[in-house]
Amino acid sequence: MRRTIAIVFDIPAGFVHDWLAFHDRRAARRQLLWRASVIGLGIIAASGTVLGALR
């Protein structure tokens, strides 16, 4: 018994555009959260260093 792979060629262009836009927004949000967490941890580390140097 041989299985065939179904290929769909009639996907609307609007759906593809919306799908790609959704994934772009998701990636941008993930990158923003990553940058914000790195900046926040950097500020915490820098303030700890300054406070340790002042004591």
Side-chain angles (χ1 to χ4, degrees):
M1 190 176 244
R2 185 174 174 175
R3 294 186 180 188
T4 59
I5 298 174
I7 300 174
V8 179
F9 291 105
D10 59 348
I11 299 173
F15 173 78
V16 174
H17 176 67
D18 291 344
W19 187 79
L20 290 173
F22 167 76
H23 285 284
D24 287 345
R25 285 192 308 270
R26 187 176 175 194
R29 186 179 326 128
R30 188 176 294 157
Q31 184 177 17
L32 178 66
L33 289 173
W34 173 253
R35 285 183 181 176
S37 64
V38 168
I39 290 171
L41 290 174
I43 290 172
I44 291 170
S47 63
T49 303
V50 169
L51 289 175
L54 292 177
R55 288 189 177 194

